[in-house]
Amino acid sequence: MARITVLAILCLGFFVTVVKPMPEDGLLGGLLGDGDGPLSDKPLLKLLLLRGLLGQSGQPAGSQLPLARAMMSQNPQMPILRAMMMRNVAQNGGPPILPGLMMARNQQSNAPLLRALMLFRMMGERMGKKILEEIENRVEDNAIYNFGTVMICDCAMEYHEDGEMKGFTIDLINEVCKEAGKKCTIQYTPSSKCYANSGDHSSAGEALLGRQVDACSTWLKSAERGNSVAFTEGYWQIDTKTRLYTVEGNPNGIKNDVTGLKIGMINGWVSDDVCMRGNEDTFPGASTLKKSNIVRYDSPGDMVVGLQNKEVDAVFAFEYGVQELAKKGLVLDAVSEAVNCAIGDSLHFITRKDSKLLPWFNTTLKEMKENGKYYRLCREAKIKHGKKGKIQCL
């Protein structure tokens, strides 16, 4: 500390004895780091002087507050300021640099000392901002972004094979992170942990809100979802038609009128009661459907089991999802016309609205679409994942 103090005193002595007066705009340039002032290219010197003047903590101690206020005055009165500095030294010993300031004052006129004090006054905020920016950059360089994949289908988009998660979604995450120079991990995350209905409204799930993951794959846009989550660029095209379904053969003769029926839905999916009520013409009785008549399931498989066990009379689901279930032998009968519950027909990753992932991910994915790297992934996916079905790139 003694070495730092001596260095600070010597630097200040040089500044007040050697540096010639300069125009006000030149001084401000040095203060703000964007001109040719004497300290414009010496951030370490600025920091040392400020630290020495204000003390170890970087803030004036209680007994030094009057002195700090006087130094920060728009028009500091030099005689008064000198008296306050002398008093501070006499009473408290003062910060180590104050004797140096007084010694420099006895050798030169007021003007150089005033310049020095003005520097101390102005440089604190800028130095603080630069330090914070440097810390933020280092944190970002070391950040690891965790992607949750919901694995809703056994298709080319995402599937399990030999204990591994595979598919276009996995390839895309890895490639975008590589292009952006980010460190990323991928983990399975149930869809209800990403987005779910918690009562009257749907909202971001506990995995997103609890920061277990930074983004979740395979989500459609809707107006309601836009209230609680943010969406990345789209990356996969999908049929968004939604219908009312019953067990194969429709033994109860159910039609599209849902009055008094118990309806099964997948928790958090856009094919929900909000969409059904918004399509009252297609589903009479939807606006009066009671909460007790809605049963929410965590997965398509659970929903079908509930339908087969007569927990519900019918289910409201994506046509695409029902087609995937049919591949596993779970055949359902459509009993209504199709409606669209989503905005657009592309899948996105969803993130928290305050997520730092969104800017770099969107920028990188857009660039990949423009430079052709996204479409190269699509061509490669036909070879790698084509056995699982059609590659539905945008």
Side-chain angles (χ1 to χ4, degrees), residues 16-194:
V16 298
T17 58
V18 177
V19 177
K20 296 179 181 180
M22 64 184 71
E24 183 178 358
D25 57 348
L27 174 60
L28 290 178
L31 294 174
L32 301 178
D34 55 2
D36 299 324
L39 295 183
S40 60
D41 60 345
K42 302 177 179 63
L44 181 57
L45 177 56
K46 292 181 182 180
L47 186 58
L48 284 171
L49 293 175
L50 184 62
R51 183 184 182 193
L53 182 64
L54 296 181
Q56 292 291 335
S57 67
Q59 295 292 335
S63 62
Q64 296 168 347
L65 284 174
L67 175 59
R69 292 193 188 99
M71 292 177 64
M72 294 179 183
S73 169
Q74 293 293 335
N75 299 294
Q77 299 297 315
M78 293 307 299
I80 297 175
L81 187 56
R82 287 199 303 273
M84 294 180 69
M85 293 169 68
M86 289 295 291
R87 180 186 178 192
N88 185 280
V89 173
Q91 290 182 345
N92 308 308
I97 199 170
L98 287 179
L101 282 170
M102 299 308 301
M103 180 174 62
R105 167 63 189 91
N106 292 332
Q107 296 176 3
Q108 292 292 329
S109 65
N110 289 345
L113 181 58
L114 180 58
R115 273 203 307 276
L117 295 175
M118 289 176 66
L119 282 172
F120 294 140
R121 174 190 170 193
M122 297 294 295
M123 69 188 177
E125 182 178 354
R126 281 300 177 94
M127 286 298 299
K129 287 182 179 178
K130 289 182 179 179
I131 292 171
L132 287 176
E133 288 174 1
E134 178 64 22
I135 292 173
E136 288 178 356
N137 290 338
R138 291 187 181 183
V139 169
E140 179 62 22
D141 289 342
N142 294 322
I144 298 177
Y145 290 92
N146 195 11
F147 287 79
T149 55
V150 300
M151 308 299 291
I152 63 168
C153 68
D154 184 28
C155 61
M157 178 176 62
E158 49 191 26
Y159 60 95
H160 281 106
E161 185 177 80
D162 300 327
E164 294 183 24
M165 294 184 294
K166 296 183 179 181
F168 181 79
T169 299
I170 308 300
D171 296 343
L172 181 70
I173 293 171
N174 289 329
E175 193 66 20
V176 171
C177 291
K178 177 182 175 182
E179 288 290 314
K182 303 295 182 181
K183 301 172 186 176
C184 301
T185 61
I186 304 173
Q187 70 177 50
Y188 166 68
T189 306
S191 63
S192 60
K193 301 290 186 181
C194 294

Side-chain angles (χ1 to χ4, degrees), residues 181-375:
K182 303 295 182 181
K183 301 172 186 176
C184 301
T185 61
I186 304 173
Q187 70 177 50
Y188 166 68
T189 306
S191 63
S192 60
K193 301 290 186 181
C194 294
Y195 192 88
N197 188 290
S198 56
D200 293 332
H201 302 283
S202 296
S203 62
E206 62 182 74
L208 276 177
L209 295 179
R211 301 180 185 272
Q212 299 169 27
V213 296
D214 296 288
C216 287
S217 67
T218 323
W219 292 89
L220 287 161
K221 280 186 177 181
S222 74
E224 185 181 29
R225 287 178 176 176
N227 293 327
S228 55
V229 296
F231 296 87
T232 67
E233 279 275 298
Y235 66 91
W236 187 266
Q237 196 165 30
I238 191 171
D239 186 350
T240 60
K241 292 193 292 292
T242 301
R243 301 176 188 269
L244 193 67
Y245 294 88
T246 67
V247 293
E248 187 176 11
N250 189 14
N252 296 324
I254 293 174
K255 302 295 185 182
N256 58 322
D257 191 330
V258 297
T259 303
L261 296 181
K262 265 202 166 182
I263 307 296
M265 302 174 181
I266 301 176
N267 195 0
W269 282 30
V270 76
S271 50
D272 60 6
D273 48 312
V274 174
C275 177
M276 183 175 278
R277 286 195 297 270
N279 288 277
E280 176 83 15
D281 292 344
T282 304
F283 304 105
S287 61
T288 58
L289 196 63
K290 297 178 180 179
K291 291 182 181 180
S292 58
N293 281 36
I294 299 173
V295 180
R296 304 184 194 278
Y297 296 94
D298 286 337
S299 70
D302 291 343
M303 181 181 67
V304 172
V305 170
L307 180 62
Q308 292 173 334
N309 291 340
K310 299 182 180 180
E311 295 173 4
V312 293
D313 301 303
V315 297
F316 190 52
F318 280 126
E319 185 174 274
Y320 176 82
V322 172
Q323 290 171 351
E324 289 297 314
L325 291 171
K327 294 178 183 178
K328 301 177 181 180
L330 302 174
V331 179
L332 304 180
D333 278 6
V335 296
S336 75
E337 295 180 357
V339 296
N340 194 338
C341 298
I343 298 174
D345 60 355
S346 60
L347 293 176
H348 309 255
F349 292 90
I350 58 173
T351 73
R352 296 180 305 277
K353 285 182 175 282
D354 65 346
S355 174
K356 292 184 179 180
L357 175 145
L358 196 64
W360 66 260
F361 189 93
N362 272 349
T363 298
T364 305
L365 183 51
K366 285 180 182 178
E367 290 175 352
M368 288 176 62
K369 290 177 180 177
E370 293 170 357
N371 61 29
K373 292 184 178 180
Y374 166 79
Y375 300 102

